[in-house]
Amino acid sequence: GITIGALAWNATETHRMASSIEKRRFVPRIRQNVRPELSPLNLDGILSSLKEYNLISIVGYKALGKSTTVELVLGKAKNPFYLNLSTPDLIEPIYAQLHGSVLHLPFPLDSVRFNSDQTHQNIVNEVFNLVKQRTHQEVVLGLDIRPPDGSQGKPFVRALKEFCCDAELASAVFATSEGAMILGVIEPRMEVHVARELSLEKAQEFLKHFYPGVQYSADMQE
């Protein structure tokens, strides 16, 4: 009886993971109160581009609001999924978050499964396909890519291309300060947006929003 119950519960795991995405449990919580006007880019334009392109890259120098823009896009998107990514391995970080979002039976009951040989890749693919079937919309990945110094952009874009473009499991908006590594990649299904420097007025507003206790010098108020 216990074994049959464990089999039945574990068989629902991917459906429960898909529900976690649909319930927006993977939107970054740190900046849920971010206002759209703080973005240096056109959010509606990026959301519109997602209908045509599978990959949207936001590049530019540090501290220009790229990560904030990704979070704002996820705030408006259906089925959002946020990730910090430092290596081109896309599947394991996604699986880790999905696995942590659902309840599990204690060991060894958690390992009692009909398909115990399923790989993490298989599970992630099944979950994202379930979301797409149930909501009629793809998952929108939002990634803050921070590669180690000296790394290349091609492995990151290749991993996203295989997952989003070839397998058609998701769309992705990703931010990186390593603009050169992305601009050097030729991928027709990727659109690149370049973040520009904020105006003084918007920079002050940005700082006041996130650091309300900061005192501004006379130079910043001019």
Side-chain angles (χ1 to χ4, degrees), residues 3 14 25 31 37 40 58 65 69 76 79 97 121 138 141 153 166 176-177 187 191 194 196 205:
T3 301
T14 53
R25 291 180 180 167
R31 302 184 184 180
E37 60 268 25
I58 302 172
T69 298
K76 289 191 168 193
N79 305 326
Q97 289 210 40
Q121 174 85 61
E138 294 176 333
L141 291 173
D166 299 339
T176 179
S177 297
E187 171 49 57
E191 184 176 71
V194 180
R196 308 293 181 184
E205 187 177 2

Side-chain angles (χ1 to χ4, degrees), residues 55 57 100 109 117 134 154 157 162 165-166 170 174 181 207:
L55 302 177
S57 173
L109 293 177
D117 59 342
R134 290 174 1 178
K154 288 184 179 180
V157 176
E162 290 173 356
C165 304
D166 299 339
F174 63 98
M181 77 173 195
L207 287 172

Side-chain angles (χ1 to χ4, degrees), residues 10-205:
N10 293 333
T12 67
E13 183 177 77
T14 53
H15 288 265
R16 289 182 282 121
M17 289 176 171
S19 294
S20 293
I21 296 176
E22 294 161 11
K23 292 175 182 176
R24 304 179 63 81
R25 291 180 180 167
F26 301 104
V27 176
R29 295 181 179 179
I30 298 176
R31 302 184 184 180
Q32 283 186 333
N33 62 338
V34 175
R35 300 199 308 271
E37 60 268 25
L38 294 177
S39 170
L41 296 166
N42 183 343
L43 294 181
D44 291 331
I46 293 173
L47 285 166
S48 178
S49 293
L50 276 174
K51 299 175 183 177
E52 182 178 355
Y53 295 91
N54 295 89
L55 302 177
I56 303 293
S57 173
I58 302 172
V59 302
Y61 293 115
K62 293 180 180 179
L64 289 182
K66 301 181 302 300
S67 299
T68 300
T69 298
V70 170
E71 294 173 14
L72 288 167
V73 169
L74 289 189
K76 289 191 168 193
K78 193 171 184 178
N79 305 326
F81 199 108
Y82 180 79
L83 279 178
N84 274 302
L85 207 61
S86 58
T87 73
D89 183 358
L90 186 64
I91 297 302
E92 289 306 317
I94 292 176
Y95 174 79
Q97 289 210 40
L98 289 173
H99 186 266
S101 73
V102 296
L103 293 174
H104 300 275
L105 296 175
F107 183 83
L109 293 177
D110 185 48
S111 62
V112 179
R113 299 170 181 269
F114 291 110
N115 50 356
S116 57
D117 59 342
Q118 218 179 14
T119 66
H120 292 175
Q121 174 85 61
N122 294 147
I123 292 171
V124 170
N125 289 1
E126 182 179 342
V127 170
F128 277 54
N129 271 319
L130 278 170
V131 172
K132 189 174 180 179
Q133 291 167 12
R134 290 174 1 178
T135 67
H136 307 290
Q137 289 195 37
E138 294 176 333
V139 175
V140 177
L141 291 173
L143 304 109
D144 200 350
I145 295 179
R146 302 174 184 272
D149 291 340
S151 65
Q152 299 297 313
K154 288 184 179 180
F156 288 89
V157 176
R158 186 183 303 116
L160 286 168
K161 182 184 81 69
E162 290 173 356
F163 191 77
C164 297
C165 304
D166 299 339
E168 298 183 346
L169 290 168
S171 298
V173 179
F174 63 98
T176 179
S177 297
E178 307 297 328
M181 77 173 195
I182 297 299
L183 293 173
V185 175
I186 299 175
E187 171 49 57
R189 290 168 291 188
M190 179 175 71
E191 184 176 71
V192 178
H193 293 248
V194 180
R196 308 293 181 184
E197 289 187 12
L198 297 175
S199 65
L200 178 59
E201 181 180 358
K202 182 167 280 192
Q204 288 176 341
E205 187 177 2

